Amino acid sequence: MRQATTKLKNFMNPAIVKKLRIATTAVCIAFSATAIAQQSTTPPVKVPEGFNIQVIAEGIGSARHLSVTPQGDIFVKLNKTKNNKGVLVLHEANGKATVTLSFGNYPGTGLYVKNGYLYTSSNSSVYRYKLNSKNQVINPAKTEVIVTGLIERRQHESKSIVIDNAGNLYVNIGAYSNSCQQQDRQKGSMGKEGCPILDSAGGIWQFKADKLNQKYADGVRYATGLRNVVGLDWNQQLNQLFVMQHGRDQLSFLFPELYNDKQSAELPAECLYALKQGDNAGWPYIYYDPQQKKKIIAPEYGGDGKKEGDSKYIDPVAAFPAHLAPDGLLFYTGNQFPERYKNGAFIAFHGSWNRAPEPQKGYFVVFQPFKDGKPDGDWEIFADGFGGTPDDVAQGNAKRRPCGLAQGPDGSLYVTSDDTDGAIYKITYKKP
């Protein structure tokens, strides 16, 4: 009893109590910091030296493509409506962008500003809204219908859009199939003869940007053989359409006698194509092998991983790792970034889901240098870390996934992330 009393007195000694308080406080601070880091939805993103990246908006919903006006307003298309609205307008000031207007009760991906109009798309239609001299939507309730009746079959249904300088509207009509098999995504199923999907999908369709109430049949099939295009842009230097294709999936699952899991994770390349009217990129008959640097006949159409595809199909101008899901493409024309970035291409990779059992990859923005209208040198990762930790990325549990790209009036680069809570990043450069 006497020993216990002595220990209690020692424990109540002011000096010992002070030490315990300090130690306890340190533990609490460390625990709090860990908890905050774990709860954060904004993983740190790395950009090259001299650049700065900041989150200017969060919690806005499933943000896809976007455009920034000279007045600092940001138009954003939501892939899923939020509060029954699918188009957001945010105003940027003092490092933050806040929602000032929302309208349009339809989901979708496409958004583009051209010639005094805001163009948007659902998964089956394209709309436009008149802008005033300050690039503000005059009447959000007045929706002009440009095209209706576009194919929507619950696979590759997003309708990305871009407009050229001659008043033509280009719309992606994704193929509602992986590889045009007789039984989609079924092991060993061969390809459909002549792939009837290509009659109505699997390419880029052209419409008139200023003509109201066009139907699907009024469009022109501008280019074909493209499985699915989410990122596309009009190259002003060449006056030409460029697109990033989502390559086909599941080579080892569908044809295990021809491909192992490692090959399936690395094939085929995600391809950048420069398109002219009438071009055929070859889906589903061929795919592009980045190791062999050749077009290879697809196994559904008699290929064995080595047989070379027909030369009538166009070659990509650049090839990127497989299954990274390129969702944004932007040719940089600003003057803020160093000269080497001028007229080069930024590409937002949403990240893979189908490289298992190999690690998943992507969730970054890359830069492809261009010179005289052609890719010049190897591509490089420009902004990385959206996905979180290496384990998050490898397991496909990305915290955020880049999607849309836009250039600000001062040459800043804007990036949307459409997962978790929806965010907008702004990347700037300061000359040393």
Side-chain angles (χ1 to χ4, degrees):
M1 182 69 178
R2 187 175 297 172
Q3 288 179 342
T5 303
T6 302
K7 288 181 179 179
L8 180 61
K9 287 181 179 179
N10 289 337
F11 179 79
M12 297 304 294
N13 183 291
I16 295 176
V17 170
K18 183 177 180 180
K19 290 181 180 179
L20 286 171
R21 284 176 178 170
I22 292 173
T24 303
T25 301
V27 171
C28 290
I29 291 173
F31 177 80
S32 298
T34 302
I36 290 171
Q38 290 174 344
Q39 293 173 4
S40 174
T41 59
T42 311
V45 177
K46 296 180 181 178
V47 291
E49 186 176 356
F51 288 88
N52 178 65
I53 184 167
Q54 63 180 130
V55 179
I56 61 171
E58 292 184 278
I60 62 175
S62 55
R64 301 287 279 188
H65 291 173
L66 74 166
S67 182
V68 185
T69 73
Q71 292 77 22
D73 288 325
I74 306 171
F75 294 115
V76 178
K77 188 70 190 69
L78 299 183
N79 193 38
K80 298 177 182 178
T81 59
K82 185 174 183 179
N83 300 322
N84 203 35
K85 306 298 181 184
V87 184
L88 302 181
V89 183
L90 297 90
H91 186 73
E92 182 184 355
N94 301 318
K96 293 293 180 183
T98 55
V99 176
T100 59
L101 179 66
S102 60
F103 58 95
N105 62 348
Y106 50 88
T109 293
L111 184 145
Y112 204 76
V113 174
K114 188 78 171 180
N115 297 332
Y117 285 93
L118 167 67
Y119 289 81
T120 63
S121 71
S122 68
N123 292 334
S124 61
S125 302
V126 179
Y127 310 98
R128 76 176 184 181
Y129 303 84
K130 181 65 177 174
L131 304 176
N132 62 21
S133 60
K134 296 181 180 180
N135 288 299
Q136 299 168 327
V137 175
I138 295 173
N139 184 357
K142 186 178 180 181
T143 306
E144 295 185 341
V145 178
I146 301 299
V147 186
T148 58
L150 302 176
I151 282 182
E152 179 187 6
R153 298 191 178 172
R154 294 182 297 178
Q155 188 174 172
H156 306 147
E157 73 278 8
S158 64
K159 302 299 183 290
S160 299
I161 58 176
V162 72
I163 300 171
D164 67 15
N165 299 319
N168 296 305
L169 166 72
Y170 300 86
V171 185
N172 167 60
I173 310 293
Y176 44 93
S177 169
N178 175 40
S179 53
C180 207
Q181 291 174 283
Q182 295 174 22
Q183 295 178 303
D184 192 32
R185 297 181 187 270
Q186 296 302 304
K187 187 173 294 186
S189 179
M190 300 306 287
K192 294 179 180 179
E193 188 69 27
C195 190
I197 289 173
L198 293 173
D199 290 342
S200 57
I204 305 295
W205 263 250
Q206 183 190 70
F207 300 89
K208 295 297 182 184
D210 60 353
K211 184 179 180 181
L212 302 182
N213 301 312
Q214 297 169 86
K215 304 297 183 183
Y216 183 43
D218 296 326
V220 174
R221 185 168 58 177
Y222 185 80
T224 191
L226 293 157
R227 178 174 176 267
N228 189 37
V229 169
V230 183
L232 72 174
D233 196 18
W234 191 261
N235 186 306
Q236 298 295 335
Q237 189 180 30
L238 297 176
N239 198 32
Q240 187 176 1
L241 177 64
F242 279 70
V243 304
M244 283 295 310
Q245 176 181 231
H246 284 220
R248 54 91 42 85
D249 303 324
Q250 299 175 303
L251 283 168
S252 64
F253 171 77
L254 298 173
F255 296 91
E257 70 278 11
L258 297 175
Y259 301 90
N260 59 40
D261 289 339
K262 177 69 173 177
Q263 290 172 311
S264 190
E266 302 298 338
L267 298 173
E270 306 282 44
C271 293
L272 175 64
Y273 289 103
L275 297 180
K276 296 179 181 177
Q277 188 163 358
D279 278 346
N280 188 338
W283 179 91
Y285 307 114
I286 60 99
Y287 63 82
Y288 190 78
D289 185 318
Q291 281 83 40
Q292 300 185 63
K293 293 182 170 53
K294 294 179 180 178
K295 299 184 292 283
I296 300 297
I297 298 175
E300 291 84 355
Y301 291 90
D304 60 359
K306 299 177 182 178
K307 294 179 182 177
E308 195 165 347
D310 198 313
S311 60
K312 70 180 180 182
Y313 303 124
I314 63 173
D315 288 315
V317 296
F320 302 86
H323 312 304
L324 300 192
D327 279 2
L329 173 65
L330 174 77
F331 284 96
Y332 185 79
T333 60
N335 296 314
Q336 182 185 135
F337 290 6
E339 182 62 26
R340 68 181 298 266
Y341 292 95
K342 192 71 174 278
N343 296 313
F346 286 102
I347 304 163
F349 285 99
H350 196 244
S352 66
W353 63 267
N354 55 350
R355 291 175 54 90
E358 296 295 311
Q360 303 300 336
K361 289 185 179 181
Y363 322 108
F364 46 48
V365 176
V366 310
F367 175 70
Q368 171 63 62
F370 268 66
K371 183 177 181 181
D372 300 326
K374 296 181 179 180
D376 181 46
D378 295 333
W379 61 273
E380 59 204 53
I381 295 177
F382 178 76
D384 192 13
F386 295 93
T389 68
D391 284 343
D392 290 332
V393 171
Q395 296 172 22
N397 298 323
K399 301 303 181 185
R400 284 193 169 145
R401 302 168 186 249
C403 184
L405 298 168
Q407 182 180 303
D410 64 350
S412 298
L413 180 67
Y414 293 75
V415 184
T416 59
S417 165
D418 74 338
D419 289 69
T420 312
D421 60 351
I424 301 176
Y425 294 78
K426 182 178 182 180
I427 301 175
T428 56
Y429 178 78
K430 186 175 182 180
K431 295 179 181 180

